[in-house]
Amino acid sequence: MTKFGRHDDKTLIDLMVESSLRALEDAGASEKNVDAVYAASMLAGELNNRVAIGSALVDQLALIPAAADRVENGPASGGSAIKNAYCGIACGMYDTVLVTGGEKMRHVPGETITDYIATMTNIEAEYVHGVTLPSLAGMLTRLYMERYGLTEEDLARVAVKNHLNGSKNPYAHIQQPIALEGIYGSPEAEVNNPMIADPIRMYHCCPVTDGAASVLLCATEKAKEFTDTPIRIAGIGQATDKMAVQDRKDPAVLEALRVSAAQAFKMSKTTPQDMSLAELHDAFTILEIVESEDAGFFKKGAGSKALRDGVTALEGRLPINPSGGLKARGHPVGATGVAQVVELTWQLRGEADKRQVKNAKRGFSCNLGGFANNILAFVLERS
Amino acid sequence: MTKFGRHDDKTLIDLMVESSLRALEDAGASEKNVDAVYAASMLAGELNNRVAIGSALVDQLALIPAAADRVENGPASGGSAIKNAYCGIACGMYDTVLVTGGEKMRHVPGETITDYIATMTNIEAEYVHGVTLPSLAGMLTRLYMERYGLTEEDLARVAVKNHLNGSKNPYAHIQQPIALEGIYGSPEAEVNNPMIADPIRMYHCCPVTDGAASVLLCATEKAKEFTDTPIRIAGIGQATDKMAVQDRKDPAVLEALRVSAAQAFKMSKTTPQDMSLAELHDAFTILEIVESEDAGFFKKGAGSKALRDGVTALEGRLPINPSGGLKARGHPVGATGVAQVVELTWQLRGEADKRQVKNAKRGFSCNLGGFANNILAFVLERS
């Protein structure tokens, strides 16, 4: 990974080259080893005036004539790229594939970044009425409060946990721990943590971040050529749901996560209880709670209690987002799905330093496209 | 396919839904049959303000919870989507996959379409200096004229041939045959066929087109469930070259085509001589000639003679672009790679009506990303 944060002096391609070279170096791989490149980005054309970034990346990395494609699936672009790279290897077309996700989104031509992000909502039912992602998250939060007794304190606790984890991650955008009182239930909280989309406040949203992340995938039988600590993609799932939240059977249920997570667990012959940790897609704090339930870790409505009880803390039974998550590590949208897999890899190798989850054997990640209408789920394990 | 042309009253998603439904109907497939959707588009976000169009398509087609991704590789987005769909099936993850490429590019916000297309050139070496795709084609043409004696008449003959073929294709954008005298060597030609980028004239360029095309891919053993005339993807190749034309060893050689075509022929255990027809990527007339050589059909420099001798005409030994090619069928960039495979499928099934190539057994297509720096090659055959 690159450090996630603000990178005024680098282009999107610069960032993607940087994380790519780190991945290649980590594996001791050279240009002779790479058969194909998958580049993931949601808004390369819109924000950075670049299309066909797979071609640019393969050129800059001197990997020609390797195949190169860009995969785009909104904020799940990184997850989709990994899935397609996996298929390229699993079908025998490629032995070794580099996957790099990146986004440079702090410089926005013309409109606001929120508007660009909203172009992934349903155009007739949502976008034209001014629906944005924070507004959808606000409505989901309100529903959860009514139905399951979720409180604003619970939301704040997700942020507190993930900021604490992020403070131990040198790659995180925000490495500053925050106290609960700083963002909830105090006079200073009113100032520090303004309302964005009722009841969502600033600290319930991920920051806007530049960054890139890469993984090198290869056929299982080749892995020992590159590392003594290969990590295996044991399960992959992907499922879609109605694009417009109003069209979903129950807007409080992430059905696409239920389906994709079940696929990933089935393929890996594991259950949620087998996971040592999880990297969830907390673009908004509410999402971490809902995902922790719909991925199968906790019963519906029980996610906030698990959080309050410390189950999902770094030293808990199921640490969630030891990296800091999207909330603190940051969310360069095209990079996120790859960054989650990078974090799982480091954790499973025991290389996560101060944020290391003890005895990490298996990890789960989920990467949300749209407002949870296209979800990738992964199970990784030590091999 | 949709009819290619100008579709003022339809959105990009409308067009992609239309071609998707036609493909599903052709196969007698329902939503139960589709495991995944690959959407190809180069400029959906930039021109149509839509990202994550895979999610939109799967929603509109009622294919939920099928997986859905968008693949973008400039004007080779369609070819890349087919390759990734192929891998998804070949690795056993999916049985049946819908691939739909589309572009709606006749309505351009702000700048010109030429500028948007140029965002796929090398940013430092080309784009910032005002390089556009027509200018690159102009330089390649000039080099070919100097080195191989290509004439402006040869370029015009590509257009005449492809307009004639296009006049027999009800899906073509331009269905009007043109006479050589209308665009070359006459006083009216000077008016009809103005200079665009010396020596490239208007009739040496493809039109700007809206449209979508779809194919349904499935595992070989499933094909008989859908059709009595399955067409097999026998070979796939993909290769990249330096992005900036000036960095290439020989700018007159499409090295990425040589490599990708060789891969496709090797995988299919065929040679160029085994092909009954070819759909080449004639975004500019010069490209058809150069590709016909670098794909291996003719010796270097001999492509224009083959054209003059009628070898590549509809009734010739190797008909090239019986569909009318990008020149007459049109070039909605994200749709083109898929439309080429659709044409090969119709030809190999004997369903191409007035433009039917006699006894078509095997077909080749190539789809160019960038200015030929990322190329997909396919060999299809009757199965």
Side-chain angles (χ1 to χ4, degrees), chain A residues 11 14 36 38 41-46 48-60 62-74 76 80-81 83-91 93-94 111 115-124 127 236 238-244 247 259 263 267 369-370 373-374 376, chain B residues 11 14 36 38 41-46 48-60 62-74 76 80-81 83-91 93-94 111 115-124 127 236 238-244 247 259 263 267 369-370 373-374 376:
Chain A
T11 67
D14 290 341
Y38 283 79
S41 171
M42 175 177 169
L43 296 164
E46 295 86 333
N48 312 111
N49 208 24
R50 292 286 88 197
V51 294
I53 56 168
S55 300
L57 195 57
V58 86
D59 187 8
Q60 289 286 302
L63 297 176
I64 290 166
D69 295 322
R70 171 189 170 210
V71 177
E72 186 266 309
N73 182 15
S80 283
K83 183 199 78 172
N84 284 292
Y86 176 95
C87 292
I89 293 169
C91 79
M93 192 173 284
Y94 305 123
E111 306 164 75
D115 187 62
Y116 281 104
I117 300 284
T119 60
M120 70 186 180
T121 63
N122 182 292
I123 190 163
E124 294 93 359
Y127 182 78
I236 298 183
Q238 183 179 13
T240 50
D241 197 354
K242 297 299 289 179
M243 205 168 191
D247 291 341
V259 176
Q263 289 171 349
M267 180 174 161
N373 58 295
N374 194 334
L376 277 291
Chain B
T11 66
D14 290 341
Y38 284 79
S41 172
M42 176 178 170
L43 296 164
E46 295 86 334
N48 312 111
N49 208 25
R50 293 286 88 198
V51 293
I53 57 169
S55 300
L57 195 58
V58 86
D59 186 8
Q60 290 285 304
L63 297 176
I64 289 166
D69 295 322
R70 170 187 169 212
V71 177
E72 186 266 308
N73 181 16
S80 283
K83 183 200 77 170
N84 284 293
Y86 176 96
C87 291
I89 294 168
C91 78
M93 192 173 284
Y94 305 123
E111 306 162 74
D115 187 63
Y116 281 103
I117 300 283
T119 61
M120 70 186 179
T121 62
N122 181 293
I123 190 162
E124 294 93 359
Y127 183 78
I236 297 183
Q238 183 180 12
T240 50
D241 197 353
K242 296 299 290 178
M243 205 167 190
D247 291 341
V259 176
Q263 288 171 349
M267 179 174 162
N373 58 295
N374 193 335
L376 275 291

Side-chain angles (χ1 to χ4, degrees), chain B residues 4-210:
Chain B
F4 277 12
R6 184 176 185 126
H7 290 285
D8 292 351
D9 55 337
K10 289 174 184 166
T11 66
L12 171 63
I13 302 295
D14 290 341
L15 292 168
M16 294 176 81
V17 165
E18 185 178 325
S19 66
S20 298
L21 290 175
R22 288 183 185 190
L24 292 170
E25 191 185 355
D26 177 86
S30 76
E31 70 281 5
K32 287 175 209 132
N33 298 119
V34 179
D35 301 316
V37 170
Y38 284 79
S41 172
M42 176 178 170
L43 296 164
E46 295 86 334
L47 300 183
N48 312 111
N49 208 25
R50 293 286 88 198
V51 293
I53 57 169
S55 300
L57 195 58
V58 86
D59 186 8
Q60 290 285 304
L61 292 168
L63 297 176
I64 289 166
D69 295 322
R70 170 187 169 212
V71 177
E72 186 266 308
N73 181 16
S77 298
S80 283
I82 292 175
K83 183 200 77 170
N84 284 293
Y86 176 96
C87 291
I89 294 168
C91 78
M93 192 173 284
Y94 305 123
D95 283 337
T96 308
V97 179
L98 175 70
V99 183
T100 295
E103 210 80 50
K104 187 164 154 62
M105 54 197 297
R106 292 202 56 104
H107 286 80
V108 178
E111 306 162 74
T112 67
I113 189 67
T114 304
D115 187 63
Y116 281 103
I117 300 283
T119 61
M120 70 186 179
T121 62
N122 181 293
I123 190 162
E124 294 93 359
E126 296 178 331
Y127 183 78
V128 296
H129 302 293
V131 165
T132 61
L133 276 288
S135 73
L136 290 172
M139 290 190 277
L140 176 60
T141 304
R142 184 61 70 199
L143 187 58
Y144 245 71
M145 287 176 161
E146 285 180 9
R147 198 185 289 180
Y148 299 112
L150 181 88
T151 65
E152 205 184 309
E153 184 182 331
D154 295 329
L155 294 182
R157 282 190 186 280
V158 175
V160 169
K161 171 178 74 66
N162 290 353
H163 276 248
L164 182 62
N165 292 349
S167 73
K168 299 170 182 176
N169 182 357
Y171 294 90
H173 185 172
I174 301 173
Q175 299 180 24
Q176 204 171 359
I178 47 172
L180 183 62
E181 311 75 60
I183 60 167
Y184 172 76
S186 70
E188 67 183 290
E190 290 297 310
V191 182
N192 288 347
N193 200 10
M195 194 65 80
I196 302 290
D198 187 14
I200 288 275
R201 293 174 179 273
M202 195 178 77
Y203 276 90
H204 306 148
C205 306
C206 66
V208 177
T209 302
D210 304 329

